[in-house]
Amino acid sequence: METRQVAEDIRVEGIVQGVGFRPSVYRMAEQYALRGWVLNDGAGVWIRIAGAPEQIESFVDYLKRSPPPLARITRITRTAIPVTSVPEPSFSIAASQTGAVRTKISPDAATCTACQQDLRDPDSRFYRYPFTNCTHCGPRLSIIRAIPYDRHQTSMAAFPMCVACESDYQAIANRRFHAQPIACPACGPQVWLEESDGQILAEGEAAIAHLGRLIRQGEIVGIKGLGGIHLACDATQETAVAALRHRKHRPAKPFALMVRDLAQLRDYCPVNAAEQQVLESPAAPIVLLTPHPECSLAPSLAPGLSALGFMLPHTPLHHLLFEHIEHPIVLTSGNRSSEPQSITNDEARDLRAIAPYLLLHNRDIINRVDDSVVRVIAGQPQILRRARGYAPAPLPLPPGFEAAPPILAMGSELKTTFCLLRQGEAILSQHLGDLEHPAALLAYQETLKLYLDLFEHQPAAIALDAHPDYRASQLGQRWAAEQQLPVYPIQHHHAHLAAVMVDHHLPIDTPAILGIALDGLGYSETGDLWGGEVLLVDYTDYQRLAHLPPIALLGGAQAMRQPWRNLYAHLRALWNWDDLLSQYGDLPLVQALAQKPRPLLEQMLGSGLRSPLATSAGRLFDAVAAAIGCCFEQVTYEGQGAMELEALIGPDMEPSLANATSYPIDIDLTQTPHQLSFAPLWTALLNDLRQNVPARMISTRFHLGFAQGIAHLALHLAQTHHLTTVALSGGVFQNQMLLTAVRQQLEQQGLTVLTAEQVPCNDGGLSLGQGAIAAARHLLNHPDAKTS
């Protein structure tokens, strides 16, 4: 008796192209004796299949449970069709089709274990080839021009496959079956080493070996990597590291490092299980770790900081390089200060004043993708910069957002990303840097255009930050005016908190929760400058319940670069100058402030000219850092004062934290919104300075006191408004001690605390929150959209 046959069209959406999905489907279909075909199209993977009903059920179940390692299924749709629609006697892989683009692009992935073995196997034709890859690893976003993800749509189109690679590509049982970047020494990209005059010193493996010798000799070199050019030197040679700082005009911002493997890393710092898992993941990000006290690395790798960023090799070229060097290396973005990372060979050659030797190759980088940065706090990874290895993997939007129209969210000014919302998901771009520099703004626009083309995204609305001077907001306004699209100006801190809500998949109709947003600066919708806010917040609206005291930003933007200005403003908000001089004139910090142009400062405070008020948590940290001698005069990168202030505490202070007395902070409940008062904090801090209390203890007491003040305020408001959930966001919550202390105190009182995990808590996550708020306001008919 013949077995009953049925047929189905099965649509699989998600990250399902370029990850070995079709060969995996083919093998499963063979296993379950099914016939039909599988192909890539604009929507993802389309499977047309026929066979016994129970075998199809087993096939789909296995597909869900065991997709390829880099695949991420977001939706499977099954439709019954006539059996006559599947005339094929067996199963095959069909040619890709075009169509409306709804599929996802896989992030670039670190070299898998099998490809590492090929690198070291003399019998493999991929032996010591620096571009070895398979369907489980290698370039994706960095080389793609369009989807479906096929070779001719990538920068690998310039390298026709040789007979052997074509054979592997067509062999269903091969790990490289339909691996689009497949290549070998006979047909693929090549690497060479050149010096400043353009002379080629070596090619192939000899170039990598020569590069290793140069690094051992203390030279600074450029290396064309997966998503951009890096600058490298021996991380144990202080002379080389100092020279790199001098040439790159980067006096203090920390450098990232790469180590050979986990064993070498443990020679320099402890690594727990959660950190190891992140380091060895396909994303292979930079992970912030605390070095051993007697670490032999160069002192100027991260001046004033207690943590260093380490990553493992993520390309075959890096693995081969470490066969020729003994120590960890600096591996930092190849660019001049504030400019985007270089990606072309010609751009790399413009860096010869920094790196006179360049290891280059002839595979084009289409998309600039910087290294991701992760910190593990209490066993939970927290992404601080979302780029290589994570972007552009889609984030599923919470329930209720499925019917949202296509929305483009423009992001912020610093640590910028943009976000495309469509069909119940968010596609968050890689980190695109700070738009203050014209080259960064141009790179932002180029990347945005590429994403819109890749995903055939036609926005029906634009979401942007409420700050009118942000370049991304201005760009969004112009575009909306040209296309006659509605605009949603989104308050900065509302967006921060909405991003955390999306991160934790809270449904669109979630009742308002308590949100605490602490950062440097954000524009309110009324034009005030905020930065330390406690909000009652849902996806469509917010209410300001409390905030930090408004303090003058003396000199406007100059206050962000010169911490002493914030110290002066904080002290003058509490004392007039004569009283301050009378009570604390013996303190070095007051004597130093007395040397500043006080008449001008007093005039600015009195008139408000170039000294707007701001409730900035970031500037409070700058003021405290300046008070105890961290970065008194100036900072050279964002957050330097706060980071050095936290680093003062050090891991060896942890046993004494329980006995440390926190600085007091008052809460003024008579005002609406409520307001914190820092008068008792500053009085205690200045008295500690007079008593010569060590700076690290002052920093500890400040962190504990600020955390306690924020937690007490949150607990009061949660009780008053009958709330059980608190979201924490904003760049200040990158501070591990502050985040941990606030979270612990709130959780001890039974509150549920949500923090950023999949997206940065800094402005890198802002565009996700903007898009979610705009979508919710559209779907729930909130009257907030403005037609440009």
Side-chain angles (χ1 to χ4, degrees):
M1 179 175 165
E2 187 174 340
T3 306
R4 184 172 72 93
Q5 298 270 301
V6 297
E8 291 187 18
D9 271 346
I10 301 174
R11 289 281 188 177
V12 187
E13 299 175 42
I15 299 177
V16 291
Q17 293 189 13
V19 294
F21 204 92
R22 288 175 298 170
S24 182
V25 167
Y26 177 92
R27 288 188 286 270
M28 283 186 245
E30 292 258 294
Q31 177 181 341
Y32 291 105
L34 301 172
R35 54 194 178 83
W37 42 255
V38 57
L39 59 81
N40 283 344
D41 67 3
V45 167
W46 178 9
I47 305 167
R48 176 161 288 187
I49 206 160
E54 63 275 11
Q55 295 293 81
I56 291 180
E57 289 301 324
S58 297
F59 166 83
V60 174
D61 180 63
Y62 190 79
L63 189 67
K64 293 176 181 177
R65 288 186 292 107
S66 302
L70 298 183
R72 199 156 144 205
I73 297 173
T74 57
R75 186 181 296 112
I76 294 180
T77 305
R78 301 170 63 181
T79 305
I81 60 174
V83 174
T84 54
S85 302
V86 190
E88 288 82 4
S90 59
F91 198 84
S92 64
I93 294 179
S96 297
Q97 294 184 2
T98 57
V101 175
R102 296 196 303 276
T103 193
K104 290 79 178 171
I105 299 170
S106 171
D108 299 285
T111 310
C112 69
T113 302
C115 282
Q116 291 181 45
Q117 292 171 349
D118 286 344
L119 271 182
R120 298 180 174 93
D121 179 4
D123 294 328
S124 169
R125 62 193 180 82
F126 302 100
Y127 178 56
R128 311 193 71 76
Y129 180 56
F131 302 96
T132 302
N133 68 85
C134 70
T135 53
H136 302 157
C137 67
R140 300 292 193 278
L141 173 63
S142 60
I143 64 169
I144 193 168
R145 289 191 173 93
I147 52 179
Y149 175 69
D150 287 325
R151 191 182 184 95
H152 72 276
Q153 311 247 55
T154 75
S155 57
M156 288 301 297
F159 304 96
M161 284 181 271
C162 66
V163 173
C165 283
E166 181 72 33
S167 176
D168 285 352
Y169 183 85
Q170 300 292 350
I172 295 168
N174 195 290
R175 195 176 80 250
R176 295 181 171 88
F177 178 71
H178 281 232
Q180 303 306 330
I182 185 175
C184 73
C187 65
Q190 301 297 320
V191 65
W192 66 90
L193 179 68
E194 63 180 61
E195 56 182 342
S196 56
D197 61 2
Q199 180 183 352
I200 295 179
L201 299 177
E203 298 179 348
E205 185 180 350
I208 299 173
H210 195 155
L211 186 79
R213 288 195 298 273
L214 291 169
I215 292 174
R216 295 198 306 271
Q217 292 165 8
E219 296 285 354
I220 297 168
V221 302
I223 302 174
K224 187 175 182 181
L226 194 65
I229 311 297
H230 286 99
L231 299 171
C233 67
D234 188 324
T236 66
Q237 297 188 37
E238 174 60 23
T239 302
V241 176
L244 177 56
R245 287 205 173 280
H246 175 72
R247 295 179 195 176
K248 199 180 178 188
H249 305 294
R250 185 171 169 171
K253 192 174 182 180
F255 285 139
L257 297 93
M258 180 177 279
V259 293
R260 180 180 61 244
D261 52 28
L262 203 62
Q264 185 180 64
L265 178 55
R266 287 198 165 106
D267 289 339
Y268 295 94
C269 57
V271 182
N272 63 36
E275 291 162 343
Q276 177 178 344
Q277 185 175 12
V278 176
L279 284 160
E280 295 183 328
S281 69
I286 297 168
V287 177
L288 298 185
L289 302 169
T290 303
H292 296 304
E294 302 303 321
C295 179
S296 61
L297 294 169
S300 66
L301 287 170
L305 304 183
S306 57
L308 289 173
F310 291 90
M311 58 182 149
L312 296 177
H314 53 265
T315 72
L317 190 154
H318 294 130
H319 284 285
L320 293 172
L321 176 59
F322 271 95
E323 294 185 4
H324 302 284
I325 52 179
E326 301 172 354
H327 303 131
I329 59 172
V330 170
L331 201 69
T332 188
S333 296
N335 58 352
R336 291 186 175 85
S337 184
S338 301
E339 293 185 1
Q341 185 177 16
S342 301
I343 60 172
T344 70
N345 291 346
D346 285 342
E347 288 173 348
R349 292 174 183 121
D350 289 339
L351 299 172
R352 282 169 171 160
I354 303 174
Y357 300 95
L358 301 171
L359 187 75
L360 303 177
H361 59 74
N362 57 344
R363 184 180 69 198
D364 289 343
I365 298 171
I366 306 301
N367 297 304
R368 180 182 288 103
V369 189
D370 213 332
D371 297 312
S372 295
V373 181
V374 174
R375 190 174 199 171
V376 176
I377 300 178
Q380 176 62 51
Q382 181 187 52
I383 297 178
L384 305 182
R385 185 167 72 196
R386 188 175 185 270
R388 178 182 52 76
Y390 296 104
L395 300 167
L397 291 173
F401 283 93
E402 297 84 357
I407 290 174
L408 168 61
M410 303 299 291
S412 185
E413 185 84 344
L414 304 178
K415 297 179 172 64
T416 309
T417 62
F418 57 79
C419 187
L420 313 181
L421 265 68
R422 60 171 200 172
Q423 299 171 336
E425 67 184 16
I427 299 170
L428 188 65
S429 78
Q430 67 269 35
H431 165 85
L432 295 169
D434 301 343
L435 301 189
E436 296 170 324
H437 196 286
L441 180 61
L442 178 61
Y444 171 94
Q445 293 173 271
E446 290 172 346
T447 307
L448 175 56
K449 181 181 184 305
L450 184 71
Y451 268 65
L452 294 173
D453 290 344
L454 281 176
F455 296 102
E456 295 183 3
H457 190 81
Q458 296 181 333
I462 305 290
L464 42 80
D465 192 277
H467 199 305
D469 295 333
Y470 281 0
R471 291 159 182 81
S473 296
Q474 293 172 345
L475 183 64
Q477 289 282 9
R478 288 197 300 270
W479 192 359
E482 292 170 2
Q483 302 295 322
Q484 296 186 316
L485 298 175
V487 173
Y488 290 88
I490 308 297
Q491 199 281 320
H492 192 89
H493 302 92
H494 188 193
H496 268 311
L497 296 167
V500 176
M501 295 171 69
V502 174
D503 202 340
H504 288 269
H505 219 58
L506 300 190
I508 195 171
D509 58 355
T510 296
I513 64 173
L514 193 66
I516 304 173
L518 304 177
D519 64 1
L521 198 67
Y523 214 68
S524 78
E525 289 171 341
T526 58
D528 298 321
L529 299 180
W530 291 3
E533 310 303 318
V534 185
L535 308 177
L536 184 66
V537 61
D538 59 25
Y539 282 117
T540 61
D541 219 336
Y542 67 91
Q543 177 185 348
R544 195 186 196 195
L545 300 181
H547 56 83
L548 304 190
I551 303 294
L553 292 177
L554 283 170
Q558 282 184 290
M560 302 177 194
R561 296 185 288 269
Q562 297 178 325
W564 66 265
R565 292 176 179 269
N566 303 295
L567 175 59
Y568 191 96
H570 267 270
L571 296 181
R572 280 288 287 106
L574 301 173
W575 293 278
N576 66 48
W577 178 255
D578 289 340
D579 288 344
L580 184 66
L581 202 60
S582 171
Q583 296 181 50
Y584 299 105
D586 58 321
L587 293 179
L589 73 90
V590 176
Q591 296 169 12
L593 291 176
Q595 303 305 311
K596 299 301 180 183
R598 284 198 50 257
L600 176 59
L601 298 174
E602 292 297 325
Q603 183 182 1
M604 292 165 66
L605 285 174
S607 66
L609 181 66
R610 293 184 58 236
S611 56
L613 297 177
T615 60
S616 173
R619 303 293 77 81
L620 168 66
F621 276 73
D622 283 348
V624 174
I628 60 179
C630 290
C631 310
F632 180 86
E633 288 294 340
Q634 67 176 6
V635 296
T636 59
Y637 62 90
E638 187 194 12
Q640 181 180 355
M643 291 168 67
E644 292 192 16
L645 184 66
E646 180 187 11
L648 277 173
I649 300 169
D652 58 330
M653 279 290 288
E654 289 185 11
S656 20
L657 290 181
N659 301 320
T661 305
S662 60
Y663 288 143
I665 293 178
D666 287 342
I667 304 174
D668 185 351
L669 301 179
T670 64
Q671 295 190 55
T672 302
H674 301 330
Q675 186 171 305
L676 294 180
S677 169
F678 296 141
L681 179 154
W682 281 110
T683 300
L685 190 153
L686 294 177
N687 288 335
D688 273 357
L689 286 172
R690 174 169 283 153
Q691 298 299 319
N692 294 315
V693 172
R696 63 194 315 222
M697 180 54 72
I698 293 176
S699 178
T700 300
R701 295 189 67 191
F702 164 70
H703 277 85
L704 292 177
F706 186 62
Q708 191 172 78
I710 292 294
H712 284 176
L713 176 60
L715 287 168
H716 169 77
L717 292 170
Q719 292 167 0
T720 302
H721 294 271
H722 309 290
L723 305 172
T724 59
T725 301
V726 182
L728 309 179
S729 192
V732 171
F733 275 120
Q734 291 177 144
N735 183 305
Q736 184 172 5
M737 184 174 179
L738 176 67
L739 178 64
T740 301
V742 172
R743 183 171 196 157
Q744 285 178 349
Q745 292 179 58
L746 296 179
E747 289 180 339
Q748 286 169 1
Q749 299 302 314
L751 294 175
T752 299
V753 180
L754 309 179
T755 60
E757 295 176 2
Q758 300 178 83
V759 296
C761 65
N762 57 47
D763 284 7
L766 210 64
S767 62
L768 174 64
Q770 292 169 351
I773 293 168
R777 288 177 175 175
H778 171 87
L779 292 168
L780 301 176
N781 298 313
H782 192 280
D784 243 26
K786 301 176 183 178
T787 301
S788 181

